[in-house]
Amino acid sequence: MRLIFVRHGEPDYKHDCLTENGIRQAKCTAERLKQDGISAIFASPMGRAMETAACTAEQLGLTVTPLPFMHEIDWGTKPGAQEVPYDGHIWTLACKLLTENPEYAGSYDWAEHPYFRDNRCLAEYRKVADGFDSFLEGYGLYRSGNLYVCRENHEETIALFAHGGSGAVVFSHVLNLPFPFVLTTLPYGVCSVSVFAFWPEQSEVVIPRLELFNDMRHLENVRKEVLHFEK
């Protein structure tokens, strides 16, 4: 199974929709994806993700199935915890954590640091990771340790439209990379296309492969696109 992950187009965060430029980006993305053999489309239930996905669905004559667990993650100090700086903004805190404590770059102890331990994002991380694993089970892929076991091979391509935060959880969880490391080293832009491959290697073991990351060549003036990471 191949999974094409697409971040939503340029957002109007206040109204949870796409800007005019975001709509143009979504249409360009639909054109980019029309030859990829997509058989099913899924999206975060938020407006900007559903609107982006709808352009591709219309192009392919498919419907969009919402996945509530892929809703953009929340962040900020969790109730009863010590105040987290920068309003808990996870990209800022990830950079701060790694520059202050470089040993966390390859450490799975990131969840124990107060920047994340006392942050609402930690519960959100677990919700997305667990939800994504349950979703993959529908395609015969079952989490086993840090890899997956294929019990039923699905030779198809599906598309998932979501967000910078919830998508970063997927990259972290599937590729077994520390979350702060993903947030700082793997930023991806609006309407960018990334591709995961889940093919059995030997026996039933599946080692997820990232075949493509942050492809934005289908967008006009791609070098002028500014990264936005908000709720």
Side-chain angles (χ1 to χ4, degrees):
M1 189 262 280
R2 293 172 71 243
L3 184 145
I4 299 175
F5 177 84
V6 184
R7 189 180 172 212
H8 59 73
E10 183 180 79
D12 175 344
Y13 284 112
K14 182 178 179 180
H15 300 99
D16 186 25
C17 63
L18 298 179
T19 63
E20 289 187 10
N21 186 42
I23 293 172
R24 288 193 292 270
Q25 292 169 344
K27 290 179 178 178
C28 288
T29 304
E31 186 69 20
R32 153 72 173 80
L33 296 175
K34 69 179 184 180
Q35 301 298 332
D36 276 282
I38 295 169
S39 60
I41 297 176
F42 302 88
S44 153
M46 297 188 76
R48 54 192 184 267
M50 290 292 289
E51 195 173 351
T52 306
C55 290
T56 297
E58 182 178 4
Q59 174 80 257
L60 300 178
L62 299 172
T63 58
V64 181
T65 301
L67 298 178
F69 68 86
M70 286 303 299
H71 190 286
E72 180 58 300
I73 63 176
D74 191 18
W75 56 78
T77 304
K78 68 182 182 183
Q82 185 175 350
E83 186 72 20
V84 180
Y86 300 102
D87 295 323
H89 188 265
I90 55 177
W91 288 272
T92 302
L93 291 177
C95 183
K96 187 172 176 62
L97 173 64
L98 298 182
T99 53
E100 293 175 343
N101 307 276
E103 66 272 15
Y104 276 93
S107 172
Y108 288 93
D109 294 333
W110 61 269
E112 301 303 319
H113 192 281
Y115 289 168
F116 291 91
R117 183 192 66 210
D118 297 334
N119 198 317
R120 294 196 299 272
C121 75
L122 189 57
E124 299 276 305
Y125 182 100
R126 292 167 179 156
K127 178 179 70 176
V128 174
D130 291 345
F132 191 75
D133 282 344
S134 294
F135 171 72
L136 289 182
E137 288 179 6
Y139 287 89
L141 297 163
Y142 291 77
R143 186 85 174 187
S144 178
N146 290 331
L147 299 175
Y148 292 87
V149 171
C150 181
R151 298 182 184 173
E152 182 181 353
N153 192 18
H154 288 253
E155 296 186 2
E156 59 186 290
T157 298
I158 63 176
L160 171 59
F161 293 75
H163 308 271
S166 59
V169 174
V170 170
F171 281 96
S172 170
H173 180 63
V174 170
L175 300 176
N176 298 296
L177 296 172
F179 190 44
F181 190 71
V182 170
L183 292 170
T184 53
T185 63
L186 296 176
Y188 45 91
V190 290
C191 274
S192 64
V193 175
S194 301
V195 179
F196 287 99
F198 297 88
W199 304 120
E201 297 289 342
Q202 296 180 4
S203 134
E204 299 177 334
V205 175
V206 174
I207 304 173
R209 296 197 306 271
L210 186 59
E211 294 188 335
L212 182 67
F213 177 71
N214 194 35
D215 181 12
M216 298 175 67
R217 292 172 294 176
H218 51 286
L219 302 183
E220 297 178 359
N221 300 319
V222 63
R223 295 181 184 274
K224 297 181 181 180
E225 297 298 340
V226 178
L227 291 177
H228 299 272
F229 293 105
E230 298 296 338
K231 296 181 185 178

